[in-house]
Amino acid sequence: MPIDINEINYDQNSNNVQVGGGCIWKDLILELYKYNRTVAEMQSYYNFSVGGSISVNCHSRNIKYGSISDTILSITPSTLFIPLSSPNFLK
């Protein structure tokens, strides 16, 4: 089953958002803007991936909500496996 690492799913009822690890902060902000929402915490620059920010334990600048990890409800780890013989590995 293909994994969309850039997915963004916002649930207006719960006010929660589910994102793929490859989702870029800028894309997340632009998607939430459609609903008059934004993220509570993020790193200083918006051109990094959400998963990358979490993986290096980056901290945000706003102390109101704590660190980025304090805003995570759950994480589902996944493994991306690309065989070296794949024609799309390096292009």
Side-chain angles (χ1 to χ4, degrees):
M1 177 173 155
I3 298 172
D4 183 2
I5 63 169
N6 300 313
E7 74 173 324
I8 303 172
N9 296 312
Y10 174 63
D11 182 351
Q12 290 181 292
N13 294 323
S14 67
N15 201 33
N16 292 322
V17 64
Q18 178 180 344
V19 300
C23 172
I24 306 298
W25 285 104
K26 178 182 177 184
D27 295 339
L28 176 55
I29 292 167
L30 291 173
E31 179 65 21
L32 292 176
Y33 180 78
K34 298 175 187 176
Y35 303 96
N36 198 32
R37 296 287 182 217
T38 191
V39 294
E41 295 293 336
M42 65 173 278
Q43 68 182 67
S44 301
Y45 301 100
Y46 61 79
N47 58 338
F48 293 98
S49 69
V50 174
S53 299
I54 294 167
S55 72
V56 298
N57 192 29
C58 78
H59 301 281
S60 59
R61 294 183 166 205
N62 186 345
I63 60 170
K64 182 176 181 179
Y65 300 104
S67 69
I68 293 171
S69 63
D70 292 330
T71 66
I72 299 170
L73 297 176
S74 67
I75 295 177
T76 304
S78 62
T79 301
L80 179 61
F81 174 73
I82 302 172
L84 294 178
S85 60
S86 170
N88 296 320
F89 183 65
L90 296 174
K91 282 194 171 184

